[in-house]
Amino acid sequence: MSPNTLRAELRAILGENEIAADPTPYQTDQRRRYFSPDTVVALPASVAAVQALVRFCRERGITLTPQGGNTGLVGGSCADGGVILNLSRINRIRRIDLADNAVTVEAGCVLDTLRAAVRDAGRFFPLSLASGGSCQIGGNIACNAGGLNVLRYGTMRDLVLGLEVVLPDGSLVSQLAPLHKNTTGYDLKQLFIGSEGTLGVITAATLKLFALPQSDATAWVGTAGIGDAVRLLALVRDRFGERLSSFELVSRYALELSASFSSLKAPADADWHVLIELTDSLPQQDLGVLLAEVLLENGFDNAVLAQSEQERRELWTLRENISSAQRSLGASIKHDIALPIARVPEFADACGRELAERFAGIKIVLFGHLGDGSLHYNTFLPGHLDNSVYEAEAAINETVYRHVLALDGTIAAEHGIGSLKKHWLPQVRSAEEMALMRAIKQHLDPQNLFNPDKIFI
Amino acid sequence: MSPNTLRAELRAILGENEIAADPTPYQTDQRRRYFSPDTVVALPASVAAVQALVRFCRERGITLTPQGGNTGLVGGSCADGGVILNLSRINRIRRIDLADNAVTVEAGCVLDTLRAAVRDAGRFFPLSLASGGSCQIGGNIACNAGGLNVLRYGTMRDLVLGLEVVLPDGSLVSQLAPLHKNTTGYDLKQLFIGSEGTLGVITAATLKLFALPQSDATAWVGTAGIGDAVRLLALVRDRFGERLSSFELVSRYALELSASFSSLKAPADADWHVLIELTDSLPQQDLGVLLAEVLLENGFDNAVLAQSEQERRELWTLRENISSAQRSLGASIKHDIALPIARVPEFADACGRELAERFAGIKIVLFGHLGDGSLHYNTFLPGHLDNSVYEAEAAINETVYRHVLALDGTIAAEHGIGSLKKHWLPQVRSAEEMALMRAIKQHLDPQNLFNPDKIFI
């Protein structure tokens, strides 16, 4: 069915403003690597409209690709034809249950909008991403997002108490009570978390809330090697336990790019850098002093402790601007990996050495959430500012993932599989696991209409 | 196949000491409500032996019921024939990864043994159950156990990083690296957590560890009503945030029974009681002072603050002995329920009133984890000291669960479904959910050999 015919037919079940007049902003990903030709973009304004749309598509065999803020990095919300089901308009915060430390929110709510709303209610929602101003809760759940506070609060999966989902047959499954314990058969909501839109559409969720931090301490520490950073992580975690909310790693090169991009001075001169943040729900005046003591007692004296909220923001700006800063290097081959923390130094050494030997002049931008063993490992090739860099992708991926897998790591930590890694999935999950995933997909979506060609090859 | 024939055949694949000479300790549950006639009890000493046993049973169509410490309360590890596969002998702690705050442990390890071992390594494993001296990690995972520290650390599901599982076809699925982030397709391990042995046998797991608490404060507070207890929970949580690790509710009657059983004095004279514990991974001398301030400032002056480790232990003994103390009342009809916390007072009032009207002389022992909205609601009928009380079970269940469901609660918070509640499950999960659960079961266990007749009717 042509997009024009499809658009005309959708008029029968959707309102005028529930079909995007200009679909182009929804039809490519932010990296401009994936495109959605011949798609119609639906913007349903209610869960009932989602159900009607799903039933319509099912009857006609039309594919549906759920889309949130479209900030993903693996092509998961682009589609080759059919309907892009954008959730932006289903975005209310339905209720905040203070006694239960829970919020019920619709899928299209922007992450930072939710964070601000619960903050106004005296609570903290911990998921924190660089894309927080545009990514949406539904997408965060569908991709099991991670980010800056996983070390303390877990990934999105750990924050979900209940889901409301429209299944591929158009029926609604809803478990939105703020229950912190519920063991009634298999925990099916877990299947939808991280399923990247292949099993249905998440329309709302009940999420955990936490006490607002009342005090914090933030330090930037230069270290000679990643091994020292791993050692410092153990020291800080042993001393501060649950107060350690972020422990980020930044390479010298990543810091140089970000400092230049941000017009800020590098806080330290070192090959490796760590950004540490402690938070506490009690007003603890001495957190910074205690952190400085641990650093100095253990020889980490190439360090800066933020003395004001502005200094704290500047340190975080250096960390958060790495992604934007690296764009000056052109297109990149990105790897969103995780490793056992103890093996991160070994990985960086061995993989970096092999890449340098095989790809002359290769630049590696390494940064990420060392506290979770989760790294962004982005590679740039000289003379390839445009998408021609992707010609080397298979060979670079093979190298990086071989090192990752040899050290018991994972090739997808917090961005998902999408289109980008689907050819790799059968190599990292067993035949039995792939068969069970396919059986679940087949049961829920026998026509393979929901986000087809994602996750599975 | 008769047990004797089965036992003789098993000799071909299991060692002499891998078949229980005296099966009786494994053939009934602790309440002596469920029995396992005509079963052979296997005690495999290795994962390879489990695989051989599973393949043997599959070829002959023999049912298998995984069993851990056999401390469950819903009949989940009893069986009507076939093999009881007890995991007790597969019980090693395989490794502790300090840098990754993780432990890899085999299913048969007793919970308190694990807690002691990681404590020796300077870490804390938070799952804390009254049955900790005999329940096993595999069973804790298979039932998604809860307990005393869920408020702060989550249920067993939140503590699992990876699983090793023998599937019903005898194959082994193993994801035991200490990875805190991993989004490679559907998170299949979540299906096994809480599946009560119906989808395979968990043989090992990688679990999260935490910083050891360095200080604590424990208070017992008498309140006039449950509403006051809910109000106090909000106050304490707002003030202490992540430090609040337990918030337990105890009724006057439950306390009287436990105090008498324990030969301890009741700490307060009140209709309702709350046991509060704060813990901190830093040595905070003033936690108790701060807690006392919150109590006094808000009019909760019918309270005792533990002044020594012995006083702390006595308060916890009063809480933990309720289960044992109530046995003097004879057999009971137990309910393991959870509700939105704000609705707990309404539930206790309305349900208690209706039960008193309909069942003359009924005694209710109400206690539980108010911080999670999770209650143990046990009912005793006068003149029914033995199992004859179960004649009233259907009517009492119907009353209790009707109130629970009307208030958006769940009929199974932390004990699972097993045999006891399987007739209720289709009433609390939708047809779509039941169909998906059955599809998963059918795919993995097409012969329905693993813990048949549990969860599903």
Side-chain angles (χ1 to χ4, degrees):
Chain A
M1 198 181 298
S2 78
N4 282 342
T5 313
L6 177 54
R7 186 189 310 259
E9 290 209 15
L10 284 175
R11 285 276 158 75
I13 56 158
L14 295 177
E16 179 77 30
N17 55 8
E18 291 183 311
I19 302 170
D22 176 11
T24 47
Y26 308 96
Q27 289 178 316
T28 181
D29 69 328
Q30 58 166 329
R31 294 170 72 194
R32 299 195 61 74
R33 176 159 187 191
Y34 294 97
F35 301 92
S36 303
D38 302 329
T39 48
V40 174
V41 177
L43 297 158
S46 67
V47 174
V50 172
Q51 291 184 271
L53 176 62
V54 168
R55 291 194 180 110
F56 170 92
C57 288
R58 186 187 188 210
E59 282 163 18
R60 285 163 178 75
I62 295 166
T63 59
L64 271 159
T65 299
Q67 182 182 78
N70 197 18
T71 59
L73 294 166
V74 294
S77 62
C78 290
D80 190 11
V83 173
I84 289 181
L85 196 176
N86 186 286
L87 277 295
S88 299
R89 298 189 60 203
I90 302 175
N91 59 16
R92 282 184 312 136
I93 293 173
R94 291 192 190 163
R95 55 185 293 165
I96 296 176
D97 290 290
L98 290 176
D100 292 281
N101 255 4
V103 60
T104 298
V105 59
E106 291 176 345
C109 183
V110 169
L111 172 58
D112 285 353
T113 303
L114 175 68
R115 286 168 56 100
V118 303
R119 180 173 292 266
D120 288 346
R123 292 291 188 278
F124 180 62
F125 182 67
L127 192 77
S128 178
L129 305 174
S131 60
S134 46
C135 67
Q136 297 172 7
I137 292 299
N140 297 152
I141 297 170
C143 298
N144 185 23
L148 301 168
N149 284 332
V150 171
L151 180 56
R152 176 165 182 168
Y153 297 97
T155 67
M156 192 64 177
R157 182 182 304 283
D158 298 298
L159 305 174
V160 174
L161 292 174
L163 290 183
E164 178 187 271
V165 180
V166 177
L167 299 182
D169 67 0
S171 62
L172 190 71
V173 170
S174 179
Q175 295 265 0
L176 289 179
L179 296 174
H180 289 260
K181 287 184 187 168
N182 189 1
T183 57
T184 45
Y186 309 154
D187 191 0
L188 300 176
K189 71 172 177 292
Q190 303 293 346
L191 291 176
F192 297 95
I193 302 169
S195 66
E196 305 184 37
T198 59
L199 299 178
V201 197
I202 296 163
T203 52
T206 300
L207 305 172
K208 291 182 195 170
L209 297 177
F210 295 83
L212 271 174
Q214 299 293 333
S215 48
D216 54 53
T218 307
W220 189 285
V221 188
T223 72
I226 303 185
D228 289 331
V230 170
R231 187 167 65 86
L232 178 57
L233 170 62
L235 289 166
V236 174
R237 192 151 54 184
D238 279 1
R239 185 80 166 90
F240 295 101
E242 63 279 2
R243 287 172 181 80
L244 178 58
S245 52
S246 295
F247 195 98
E248 300 286 305
L249 180 72
V250 177
S251 72
R252 178 190 285 272
Y253 184 52
L255 174 60
E256 284 170 1
L257 287 172
S258 182
S260 166
F261 177 88
S262 314
S263 303
L264 288 168
K265 200 169 147 294
D269 176 21
D271 281 347
W272 294 96
H273 299 260
V274 166
L275 176 58
I276 302 172
E277 188 154 281
L278 309 175
T279 56
D280 199 304
S281 66
L282 280 177
Q284 297 270 354
Q285 300 311 327
D286 57 350
L287 265 190
V289 176
L290 294 174
L291 178 55
E293 276 176 18
V294 170
L295 294 174
L296 294 174
E297 280 166 13
N298 293 283
F300 292 94
D301 50 6
N302 187 6
V304 169
L305 192 71
Q307 299 295 325
S308 66
E309 178 58 22
Q310 188 191 329
E311 287 183 22
R312 176 180 168 276
R313 278 306 329 152
E314 287 181 6
L315 295 180
W316 273 106
T317 297
L318 285 169
R319 164 64 185 85
E320 291 180 347
N321 278 356
I322 296 172
S323 292
S324 303
Q326 69 187 358
R327 290 196 191 120
S328 66
L329 299 177
S332 67
I333 295 165
K334 293 179 189 291
H335 305 92
D336 154 49
I337 57 178
L339 293 144
I341 295 167
R343 313 195 80 168
V344 169
E346 190 179 349
F347 164 79
D349 281 357
C351 188
R353 199 177 322 118
E354 181 175 339
L355 287 176
E357 283 167 9
R358 292 183 51 191
F359 302 92
I362 193 169
K363 295 277 189 193
I364 297 168
V365 176
L366 194 168
F367 63 104
H369 320 292
L370 183 61
D372 315 312
S374 160
L375 302 179
H376 301 300
Y377 193 86
N378 301 335
T379 54
F380 299 81
L381 287 178
H384 289 83
L385 287 177
D386 59 10
N387 284 5
S388 68
V389 71
Y390 298 133
E391 290 163 19
E393 185 165 38
I396 291 178
N397 281 346
E398 187 281 325
T399 307
V400 174
Y401 294 154
R402 176 165 35 79
H403 284 279
V404 168
L405 296 173
L407 296 169
D408 289 333
T410 174
I411 67 163
E414 57 177 9
H415 295 168
I417 298 296
S419 291
L420 186 64
K421 298 183 182 176
K422 64 182 179 177
H423 293 279
W424 276 92
L425 191 64
Q427 298 182 52
V428 301
R429 303 294 294 262
S430 69
E432 289 83 5
E433 290 174 292
M434 291 304 301
L436 177 53
M437 287 191 220
R438 286 182 193 283
I440 292 164
K441 169 74 171 168
Q442 168 71 21
H443 174 81
L444 282 173
D445 185 17
Q447 295 170 271
N448 192 25
L449 297 180
F450 267 74
N451 217 355
D453 303 322
K454 308 295 160 53
I455 296 185
F456 301 103
I457 49 174
Chain B
M1 198 181 296
S2 78
N4 282 342
T5 313
L6 177 53
R7 186 189 311 256
E9 291 208 14
L10 284 175
R11 285 276 158 75
I13 56 158
L14 294 178
E16 179 77 30
N17 55 7
E18 291 183 309
I19 301 170
D22 176 11
T24 46
Y26 308 95
Q27 289 178 316
T28 181
D29 69 329
Q30 58 167 323
R31 294 170 73 195
R32 299 196 59 75
R33 176 158 187 191
Y34 295 96
F35 301 92
S36 302
D38 301 329
T39 48
V40 174
V41 176
L43 297 159
S46 68
V47 174
V50 172
Q51 290 183 272
L53 175 62
V54 169
R55 292 195 178 111
F56 170 93
C57 289
R58 186 184 188 213
E59 281 165 19
R60 287 163 178 75
I62 295 166
T63 60
L64 271 159
T65 298
Q67 183 182 76
N70 197 18
T71 59
L73 294 166
V74 294
S77 61
C78 290
D80 190 11
V83 173
I84 290 181
L85 195 175
N86 186 287
L87 276 296
S88 299
R89 299 189 58 203
I90 302 175
N91 59 16
R92 283 184 311 136
I93 295 173
R94 291 192 192 165
R95 54 185 292 167
I96 297 176
D97 289 290
L98 290 177
D100 292 281
N101 256 3
V103 60
T104 299
V105 58
E106 292 177 343
C109 183
V110 169
L111 172 58
D112 284 353
T113 303
L114 176 68
R115 285 168 57 99
V118 302
R119 179 173 292 268
D120 288 346
R123 291 293 186 277
F124 181 61
F125 183 67
L127 192 76
S128 176
L129 305 174
S131 59
S134 46
C135 68
Q136 296 172 7
I137 291 299
N140 297 152
I141 297 169
C143 297
N144 186 21
L148 301 168
N149 285 333
V150 172
L151 180 55
R152 177 165 184 168
Y153 298 96
T155 66
M156 192 64 178
R157 182 181 303 284
D158 299 297
L159 305 175
V160 175
L161 292 175
L163 290 183
E164 177 187 270
V165 180
V166 176
L167 298 182
D169 67 1
S171 61
L172 190 71
V173 171
S174 179
Q175 295 264 359
L176 289 179
L179 296 174
H180 289 260
K181 287 182 184 167
N182 189 1
T183 57
T184 44
Y186 309 154
D187 191 1
L188 300 176
K189 71 173 176 290
Q190 303 292 345
L191 292 175
F192 297 95
I193 302 169
S195 66
E196 305 183 36
T198 60
L199 299 178
V201 197
I202 296 163
T203 50
T206 300
L207 305 172
K208 291 182 194 169
L209 297 178
F210 295 84
L212 270 174
Q214 298 292 334
S215 47
D216 54 54
T218 308
W220 189 285
V221 188
T223 73
I226 303 185
D228 289 330
V230 170
R231 188 168 64 86
L232 178 57
L233 170 62
L235 289 166
V236 173
R237 192 150 54 181
D238 279 2
R239 184 81 167 90
F240 295 100
E242 63 280 2
R243 287 173 181 78
L244 179 57
S245 51
S246 296
F247 195 98
E248 301 286 306
L249 180 72
V250 177
S251 72
R252 179 191 284 274
Y253 184 53
L255 175 60
E256 285 170 1
L257 288 171
S258 181
S260 165
F261 177 88
S262 315
S263 302
L264 288 169
K265 200 168 147 295
D269 176 21
D271 282 349
W272 294 95
H273 299 261
V274 166
L275 177 58
I276 302 171
E277 188 154 281
L278 309 176
T279 54
D280 198 304
S281 64
L282 280 177
Q284 297 272 353
Q285 300 309 328
D286 58 349
L287 265 189
V289 175
L290 293 173
L291 178 56
E293 276 175 17
V294 170
L295 293 173
L296 294 175
E297 279 166 14
N298 293 282
F300 292 95
D301 51 6
N302 188 8
V304 169
L305 192 72
Q307 299 296 326
S308 65
E309 178 58 24
Q310 188 190 329
E311 286 183 25
R312 177 180 167 276
R313 278 305 330 151
E314 286 180 6
L315 296 180
W316 273 107
T317 298
L318 285 168
R319 164 63 186 84
E320 290 180 346
N321 277 356
I322 297 172
S323 291
S324 304
Q326 68 187 356
R327 290 197 192 120
S328 66
L329 299 176
S332 68
I333 296 165
K334 294 179 189 291
H335 305 92
D336 154 50
I337 57 178
L339 293 144
I341 294 166
R343 312 194 82 168
V344 168
E346 192 179 346
F347 164 78
D349 281 358
C351 189
R353 199 176 323 116
E354 182 175 337
L355 287 175
E357 284 166 9
R358 291 182 53 192
F359 302 92
I362 194 168
K363 295 280 189 191
I364 297 168
V365 176
L366 194 167
F367 62 104
H369 321 292
L370 183 61
D372 316 311
S374 161
L375 302 178
H376 300 299
Y377 193 85
N378 301 335
T379 54
F380 298 81
L381 287 179
H384 289 81
L385 288 177
D386 59 10
N387 284 6
S388 69
V389 71
Y390 298 133
E391 290 162 19
E393 184 164 40
I396 291 178
N397 280 347
E398 187 282 325
T399 306
V400 174
Y401 294 154
R402 175 164 35 78
H403 284 278
V404 167
L405 296 174
L407 296 169
D408 289 333
T410 177
I411 66 163
E414 56 177 9
H415 295 168
I417 298 296
S419 290
L420 185 65
K421 297 183 181 176
K422 64 182 179 177
H423 293 279
W424 276 93
L425 191 64
Q427 298 182 52
V428 301
R429 303 296 293 262
S430 68
E432 290 82 5
E433 290 173 293
M434 291 304 301
L436 178 53
M437 287 190 220
R438 286 182 193 284
I440 292 164
K441 169 74 171 169
Q442 168 71 22
H443 173 81
L444 282 174
D445 185 18
Q447 296 169 270
N448 192 26
L449 298 180
F450 268 74
N451 218 353
D453 303 322
K454 308 294 160 54
I455 296 185
F456 302 102
I457 49 175

